[in-house]
Amino acid sequence: MESARAVADQALMVGDDIESDVLAAQQAGITGVLVRTGKYRPETHEGARGAPDQVLESFADLPALLGLAQ
């Protein structure tokens, strides 16, 4: 498998699991975005050992976050 050659501080991880997706990405220097769909649970978010960089209601909100919304 070829490397994506992404630079951590220019990458973005969007996930619905704050611990496994978002906080793990942040530990690697990647911006972590939590999306409130799928596995998301408010009680897990509130009890997490850290905070996401951004929170989206839906993955459909990602273009606006990235400045790509029309």
Side-chain angles (χ1 to χ4, degrees), residues 43-69:
E43 59 274 8
T44 305
H45 182 181
E46 294 165 8
R49 58 183 169 80
D53 295 298
Q54 298 284 331
V55 179
L56 301 176
E57 291 300 318
S58 166
F59 189 75
D61 296 330
L62 186 59
L65 177 68
L66 298 175
L68 302 174

Side-chain angles (χ1 to χ4, degrees), residues 16-45:
D16 60 1
D17 185 310
I18 191 165
E19 295 287 341
S20 298
D21 298 338
V22 178
L23 299 182
Q26 289 175 332
Q27 288 180 335
I30 298 169
T31 298
V33 178
L34 181 64
V35 64
R36 292 181 175 159
T37 60
K39 294 185 340 184
Y40 175 83
R41 297 291 175 266
E43 59 274 8
T44 305
H45 182 181

